[in-house]
Amino acid sequence: MAEVATVGPVGEGGDGDTSVLHQLKVTVDKLYEFRDHYFEQHGIDQAAQKAEDVKAEVSKAIKLLDELQEICPNKAQVYMQRGRALNVTSDFDPEALDMLSKAVKLDPSLVEAWNNLGECYWKKGDVEAAKNCFSGALTKSRNKVSLRNLSMVLRQLGTDPVDRLKNIQESVTVAKEAVQLDVNDGTSWFVLGNAYLSVYFSGDQNLQILKQCMSAYNQAEGDVVAKSNPDLHFNKATVLRYEEQFQLALMHWDQASALDPTWDQPSMKQTQLLTYLSKVADMVHHKGKLKAKRLQSMLKSLSEKDLGPYGGGSFESSTGKKVPLESTTLANLATGLNKNKLVLGKVVCSVTTEETIPFTFALTDKEGTCFAVTLYNVAPNYGTIVGDSVAIPEPFLQHVDFQHKDKKFQFSLIRVETPLVLVVNSRKLGLDKQAPTVLACTTMSE
């Protein structure tokens, strides 16, 4: 770290006091700059060394702070800056908690001390105490750090599903305010993206929410500090996975692993997705590995009656409008949304994975063409079974075709946002087959 200027004469409230306070702050600010801009000065191949390098810089900073605090009469500032220095790593530090607690007792107006104290409690696992610190800081100043930290905390509070959902919605509101205070701060955009991701996993598996989440993450990536955060790439990969942009998801999990080689979650998620894609490709290619005789018997049984309420050549939209439908084959579908088209086929198999979203099955039509189908917002414990006839109105189609390292994936995929549009065995699925709006899982670390 760079050396600071020589300390001038010290006097209570005089120029010497101001100079020392400035040096205390600069010393710790440089420590955070070293951490946040590490990869601007070091290659990504040194990522495994980052934590140790930061700890070494902390030791240097503490030594300098020890010298400066001897000539600084403002003990609140001394405690705050020492607490900040010890709080720079991701680990909980009891001394940092002690220093910051002393700082806010001596000077309750120190917003930065309250924010760091809240982060200490967060690392310790005391979420309620962390919330009190951030909320208290906001009564003194509406600042982006308190707001985005409060957003993170809110998503961890509440045992009742209704309360948790309310907290998640509030977390979006405060994260938006943090962004509005500084639209160039990538960390605030990252936290807003995480808030949207929590909304998605709260049960509302709406593609529009994922798009809002992705937009926030893209904004975050424009900031060099946020871009170096492995959590950003991990969470962005999660969104890309559910947007079914599989190749990009794998790339961002790769980046998360590169930025933090000690973190095993990204490689675990990669393995899960690669296993899933391999299973889907295999089931589509082999049409569920059904025996030819059984498959032909199933396909021959398909008839107009399997269309159920869609058999009349139209369906009623949510607005009550009649929408015309034309039956077609899987092979004749175009990439993207196929408006006014209807496909019918037999389920030949489903894919069992560790993740419950989405429910995935393979559908084969009368011509023998087989596509994968991903079904979102489906109720727990519901899924189609082999032999079910399924009609899908206005199917959204994409073709998966890419190679990741030594593995190649190639298959066609229909995405269905809600089971309510499906007709299974000639009957329209009811509300009992749609997932209720309850918290399904939590987001990753921030």
Side-chain angles (χ1 to χ4, degrees), residues 126-140:
D126 192 339
V127 182
E128 282 290 348
K131 178 179 181 290
N132 291 337
C133 289
F134 302 135
S135 298
L138 287 168
T139 64
K140 305 176 196 324

Side-chain angles (χ1 to χ4, degrees), residues 246-247 250 273-285 399-412:
F246 304 119
Q247 187 175 18
L250 292 167
L273 179 54
L274 290 169
T275 300
Y276 169 80
L277 292 171
S278 295
K279 285 183 176 181
V280 174
D282 183 63
M283 77 174 185
V284 169
H285 180 71
H399 300 288
V400 176
D401 187 0
F402 72 93
Q403 184 164 333
H404 181 77
K405 297 177 182 177
D406 61 335
K407 295 185 177 181
K408 184 171 179 60
F409 304 99
Q410 192 172 37
F411 56 90
S412 296

Side-chain angles (χ1 to χ4, degrees), residues 147-148 150-155 164-165 167-176 179 187-202 204 209-210 212-214 216-217 235 239 439 441 443-444 446:
L147 287 164
R148 68 194 184 206
L150 181 60
S151 175
M152 292 164 54
V153 167
L154 284 168
R155 297 196 294 277
R164 295 202 70 178
L165 187 59
N167 288 336
I168 288 171
Q169 291 166 343
E170 186 181 348
S171 81
V172 173
T173 301
V174 295
K176 282 182 178 179
V179 166
T187 301
S188 295
W189 280 109
F190 170 52
V191 172
L192 176 59
N194 289 347
Y196 281 129
L197 190 57
S198 288
V199 173
Y200 181 81
F201 281 118
S202 70
D204 188 4
I209 293 171
L210 282 187
Q212 290 175 299
C213 179
M214 182 59 73
Y217 286 158
N235 289 10
V239 177
L439 193 68
C441 59
T443 57
M444 285 56 61
E446 291 169 276

Side-chain angles (χ1 to χ4, degrees), residues 322-353:
K322 285 282 187 180
V323 179
L325 285 176
E326 177 189 354
S327 292
T328 189
T329 61
L330 293 174
N332 283 331
L333 293 177
T335 301
L337 181 64
N338 288 262
K339 290 186 70 66
N340 307 120
K341 300 296 183 181
L342 176 69
V343 292
L344 174 67
K346 284 284 187 178
V347 176
V348 293
C349 68
S350 60
V351 175
T352 304
T353 63

